[in-house]
Amino acid sequence: MILNQEIRKALQTVGGGGSVVYLTTASKEGIPNIVGERFVSVFRNEYIFIAEMFAQKTRVNIHENPHGVITMVHPLRGRTWTFTGPITILQEGYPDDYVWEGLKASDALDEWGNWALKEPPSEVPPDIRPPVLVQRGIIALKVDSITSFDPDSVGKSL
Amino acid sequence: MAILSPRMKNWLEGLGGHIATANKQGIPLVVVTTSAEIINDENVRFPLSTQQVDYIKDNIDENPIVAIGIGGIGSIRAAYQFKGIANLESNQLSVNITEIYCTKPGPEAGLRLDILPLESVIKFEETRWKDNGPPK
């Protein structure tokens, strides 16, 4: 699914606190896990990237049950978007030609493997900024569907 | 049993949460509320629309375990994750909180708070955040 310009822009907000989303995964037994994520971007109009910064439970869940849900937090203003799709973690060590869901790992890592360098978190207030931005890889979600989380139209395809 | 700190209660009550459910096969569904009612130290109630009830009812019937992150600016300013057992009562989702985690990025991410004495949790919060709830 191709993400339109409005979505791409909202997920790549620079300044004003940047974009914030919640990432939901679940264990294979169905125990959900939800974590707020600040380092978010869109890649090639169909993947949402999140910096993988040692989110242990998320990592375990993704490996055993690769279904992800991303819900929009900021900037919201009517953007009640839920993105759903297969999810993985890309990190150094994969073969150069490793491809996941049409995405070449080396292409992703070349561009977003060093988030701190590409998009320094200088605007994030010190009390909520990670002490050191240590990135292990990229969490990549291929968007299969976009639905609303508006209470009156939750689940409605957008 | 997990005890909510006053700060956690204030943030939950003020901004509600993103509530993650999953079926037994591990397929997640999320509903979002903008408020919550604190019942007591370990129970919270979220108002849901009829559509939200319909959306998650099968999941809750099959698997009542939920995970909750605080909505809006709370996603960053109040970096907690609550896990609990949910029960749908008409248009409200009641959650008995069983686990509380810190999700502040960095070495404290994933720190389990509900196993600490409440005084220690409050001290932990006071040394990391200046607020005691969302901005008025």
Side-chain angles (χ1 to χ4, degrees), chain B residues 107-119:
Chain B
E108 288 162 349
L111 178 68
R112 192 162 172 184
L113 299 176
D114 61 279
I115 57 173
L116 303 175
L118 181 60
E119 312 82 68

Side-chain angles (χ1 to χ4, degrees), chain A residues 28-144:
Chain A
K28 64 182 176 186
E29 290 85 17
I31 299 173
N33 196 77
I34 186 164
V35 183
E37 301 283 1
R38 163 66 186 74
F39 300 96
V40 186
S41 191
V42 170
F43 191 71
R44 294 193 181 156
N45 300 341
E46 54 181 333
Y47 304 91
I48 299 176
F49 282 2
I50 293 170
E52 205 282 275
M53 300 195 303
F54 295 83
Q56 302 295 3
K57 191 63 192 169
T58 297
R59 184 179 183 84
V60 170
N61 285 352
I62 288 173
H63 282 309
E64 68 181 28
N65 178 32
H67 298 280
V69 175
I70 289 174
T71 42
M72 197 75 190
V73 177
H74 175 79
L76 196 57
R77 291 191 183 174
R79 299 181 184 92
T80 55
W81 302 330
T82 300
F83 305 94
T84 306
I87 191 167
T88 194
I89 294 173
L90 303 172
Q91 64 182 61
E92 299 297 338
Y94 283 111
D96 281 347
D97 57 352
Y98 178 77
V99 175
W100 172 83
E101 295 280 348
L103 173 63
K104 196 172 174 188
S106 56
D107 290 349
L109 289 162
D110 284 350
E111 188 161 342
W112 286 100
N114 188 343
W115 217 288
L117 188 68
K118 187 173 172 72
E119 197 178 273
S122 52
E123 67 189 47
V124 181
D127 60 334
I128 56 173
R129 186 190 307 163
V132 182
L133 210 167
V134 181
Q135 183 183 355
R136 183 162 53 180
I138 298 165
I139 297 171
L141 180 135
K142 186 178 186 195
V143 179
D144 267 357

Side-chain angles (χ1 to χ4, degrees), chain A residues 22 30 34 65 71 127-128 151, chain B residues 18 26 49 63 70 76-77 81:
Chain A
Y22 266 114
I34 186 164
N65 178 32
T71 42
D127 60 334
I128 56 173
Chain B
H18 289 229
S49 67
N63 173 27
I70 295 172
I76 297 297
R77 287 271 169 208
Q81 179 181 195

